[in-house]
Amino acid sequence: MRSVWKSFASVRLAIFLIILLALASVVGTLIPQGRSAEEYAARYGDLAGLFAKLQLTRLYRSSWFLMLLFLLAVNLTVCTVSRLGPRLRRAFGSVSARDASSVAAMRVKGKLRLAGPPGSAAAAVSRELAARRYAVRTADIEDGTVLLARKRRLGWFGSDAVHIGLLVILAGGIVSGLAGRRSHLPLLEGQTVDVPHAGFRIRLDRFETEYYPQGGVKAWKSTVSVLENGVPVRTEVVVVNRPLVHRGFHFYQSSYGWDWQSPSLEIVVGKRGDPSSARSVSLRTGERVAFDGPGITHLGVRRFVPDFVLGEGNRVQSRSGEPRNPAALVEAWQGDEHVFAGWIFAKFPDFGEGHGDSRSALTFVLKDFQASQTSVLEAAKDPGAGLIWLGCLFISAGLFLAFYWAPREIRAVVEPGPGSGTEAVFGGFAAKGRDAFRTEFEDICTSLRRAP
Amino acid sequence: MTESALFTTAFAFYVLSTVVYFGALFARRVTWGGKGLLLACAGFVFHTAALVVRTAASGHAPFTNMYESVSFFAWATVLAFAAVDRKFRLPHIGPYAMLIVVALVALASSPLMPKEMAPLVPALQSYWLWLHVSVTLIGEAFFALAFVASILYLAADTEEKKEKYDSVSYRAVAVGFPLFTLGGLVFGMIWAFRAWGRYWSWDPKEVWSLITWFIFALYLHTRIVMSWKGKRSAVIAIIGFLAALFTYFGVNYLLSSLHSYR
């Protein structure tokens, strides 16, 4: 048991774990994470199976990576706990006769002859050190006094604070992973949805996209209302970097899109070789409208895709939700007889003409399409976040203490000197900034020497 | 003066400073070192003006694409160098630190990095842009100095010089590490939480920042607890700076990341 404790208290283990974590992290950035099995098979061939088995494709959530983090957490805990006792004593412990014997071993030393009996001389030393913001403790020894003066005592705990901060962050990560709730909410203007796990609803009142005069998106603005039991309790404008917060749930402007289910379309129909005959028809997907033309009586649009692409087996798909290559499948009837069906493209009107039925000698052009825009909000509840900020606070404070709040310590033995008078022996220690400390130490000696 | 004229003037002063510094080194004219510093400071003044003019013209922080951020990184490196030089006054740090600055400014000036001012995309519209990027880059500028000092350590011939470079390297890390932690990781997490709703996504930029942080954590632990010094510390500091560079450039150009602002 003792040896297990000891090995977990070792810095060597910490170094070993840090190296392993760093190497694993590198691997995780070289292998793309969380893609589909097909993508890995295409990219790595036979290795893909091995990668999956070693969990390299979801490395940061793999059991072995989490194990490394767990071992690091144990290591940090044991290191911090086992060092805390001695550190607390060093920073806040009382003074004893033992401190008198240790003065001689200290790196910065000084010896002074002081006026008056040891009691009053010790009081003068005490006053001088206190004036320099040292916390002074004294203890009586045989016929003199031993002093222990310390300042910036929190500096002893800088690295502990950093380590505790890391533990708090790891705890926060666990809480986030287990209790975090997150959902994508695509919303049309006027639409109300239940927020999963929240017990209240939100409504998108308005969604607008602002553009810079020179082009480019300036802002996506969603006006969102929170509804408790059907009653709006608050309305706020959500933009990127400014989420709405309600009862622990954050609502982020995550992305935007269109509702391509039933866009309204404008199709221009004309006789081949006769531009003056062109007529415009407005309709929605799935709708069938009467159209009086040569050889046809009705027109319809069976399907619309915003980003036309032919997938496997020549099946029509949409590559994305962006209107990059909008296309509509136009149909025509004569009475009940289905005359033809063909794809027409907004960006390639000439291509659509070729699809026109030779019998009807008509041309079709997809002139315009309008779909309602959706604002995609991300609803997130992350109970671990508070711990993360607490951990960050510990780490920031700890780093400051560790690097810029180095503790200083002065010990002194004030005793009757040889002959008459009193002799004081000083020893000083500074964890860092030894030159500055030496200067202060000498200043203290000088002003004590001058004192009456 | 326009921003580009100011920037070019700064570049010219930096080049002059580097030349004079190396002159001081190879011609053994110690007094030239002071002139090198003076020229670097003159360049710094023009460079500062260039950044201010650009900020005023674009209306946002001067580090939203690679040109701007490399320029700012060079600026921060001069700042870090001046701070270290004031304290240590080592003749070799100046020339090599300025060499890095000149390389960075040359890179920023090159056609590889478009100089157009673009209005801010929604994700960058936050005061965290100022805090996150500036503090991180200033931290990394100190890593750059630790890198210079560590290389000089490895090349130094006397024990006395070695000890000084070792000390400069450690002091630079002692400033750079807290700044990098605060700006890169802490501010980064806070901003990510505000903008994306998650403080950590294991995005390659985040992971590489963490790797850099691990390496400098290693530097500090081996040094403070295991009393490593000198050669081994120097090697770790060099690897650490290279990791920081990869986080900065490599992730943007080689890996796909949420952070690919070019």
Side-chain angles (χ1 to χ4, degrees), chain B residues 168-243:
Chain B
V168 171
S169 166
Y170 171 71
R171 298 288 189 94
V173 173
V175 180
F177 188 73
L179 287 177
F180 181 77
T181 309
L182 193 70
L185 296 170
V186 173
F187 290 170
M189 285 202 284
I190 297 175
W191 190 12
F193 188 72
R194 275 194 73 80
W196 302 326
R198 46 184 90 210
Y199 49 82
W200 192 264
S201 320
W202 294 104
D203 174 75
K205 194 79 147 191
E206 294 171 355
V207 176
W208 271 96
S209 306
L210 186 66
I211 293 165
T212 307
W213 193 80
F214 277 148
I215 296 172
F216 283 104
L218 218 58
Y219 177 94
L220 293 168
H221 283 84
T222 50
R223 193 179 175 96
I224 296 169
V225 188
M226 294 167 71
S227 308
W228 282 21
K229 265 191 130 182
K231 195 172 168 190
R232 288 185 289 189
S233 285
V235 170
I236 300 177
I238 289 169
I239 297 173
F241 178 65
L242 295 179

Side-chain angles (χ1 to χ4, degrees), chain A residues 56-119:
Chain A
L56 297 181
T57 54
R58 39 186 289 278
L59 190 148
Y60 305 113
R61 282 164 191 79
S62 68
S63 44
W64 60 269
F65 190 79
L66 295 178
M67 190 50 156
L68 286 178
L69 286 177
F70 174 74
L71 289 176
L72 184 71
V74 174
N75 183 218
L76 282 170
T77 311
V78 174
C79 276
T80 308
V81 169
S82 65
R83 274 149 229 236
L84 204 56
R87 259 186 213 153
L88 280 168
R89 270 196 296 285
R90 182 100 202 227
F92 300 107
S94 58
V95 60
S96 72
R98 258 210 318 271
D99 292 303
S101 56
S102 66
V103 171
M106 294 178 90
R107 205 181 284 180
V108 182
K109 281 194 285 279
K111 197 185 226 178
L112 292 180
R113 289 192 68 83
L114 299 173

